[in-house]
Amino acid sequence: MEKLYLVLYHQLEEWEANNTETIAGIRVLGYPYSPKSYKIKDFLAGNLFPYKWIDEETNPTAPEIMTSNGIKAKDLPAVIFDDNEVFIGKKAGTYRRKTTAADQR
């Protein structure tokens, strides 16, 4: 059984690395072990908001996303909505108002 899971793990890892499909909606850009990033992801997942996690350290598109949205590494985590509104740094916590307002529509 372990070999089966290992094969699936490698297939998912390969798919994730090569997946260039753009996902509309919320994107969260940050460091994987950051408590702030964890809080944001936990809130979104707990309230069933779909989002795409972008790991600043391993995702090759992260620098491009940061440059195009004016995000600096010291400002992470960042929450980027599909309308290109960006919440960074200390303001990242205010994304809750936007997600809650969108959910009530």
Side-chain angles (χ1 to χ4, degrees), residues 25-87:
I26 301 170
R27 294 176 289 165
V28 180
L29 174 66
Y31 299 108
Y33 302 110
S34 161
K36 291 178 186 176
S37 294
Y38 178 81
K39 274 185 171 179
I40 292 169
K41 294 188 301 181
D42 188 49
F43 172 80
L44 293 172
N47 289 287
L48 304 177
F49 288 107
Y51 70 93
K52 178 173 173 74
W53 167 248
I54 303 168
D55 186 341
E56 195 278 334
E57 296 174 346
T58 61
N59 192 312
T61 61
E64 179 186 334
I65 294 169
M66 290 173 68
T67 302
S68 65
N69 289 291
I71 303 168
K72 295 184 170 116
K74 67 180 177 88
D75 296 330
L76 294 177
V79 181
I80 307 166
F81 288 88
D82 56 350
D83 62 358
N84 289 328
E85 187 171 4
V86 180
F87 293 88

Side-chain angles (χ1 to χ4, degrees), residues 4-46:
L4 174 66
Y5 293 124
L6 185 62
V7 170
L8 287 175
Y9 174 78
H10 288 301
Q11 286 179 340
L12 285 171
E13 193 175 61
E14 183 180 337
W15 174 82
E16 189 175 53
N18 296 322
N19 183 20
T20 57
E21 181 181 323
T22 57
I23 296 176
I26 301 170
R27 294 176 289 165
V28 180
L29 174 66
Y31 299 108
Y33 302 110
S34 161
K36 291 178 186 176
S37 294
Y38 178 81
K39 274 185 171 179
I40 292 169
K41 294 188 301 181
D42 188 49
F43 172 80
L44 293 172

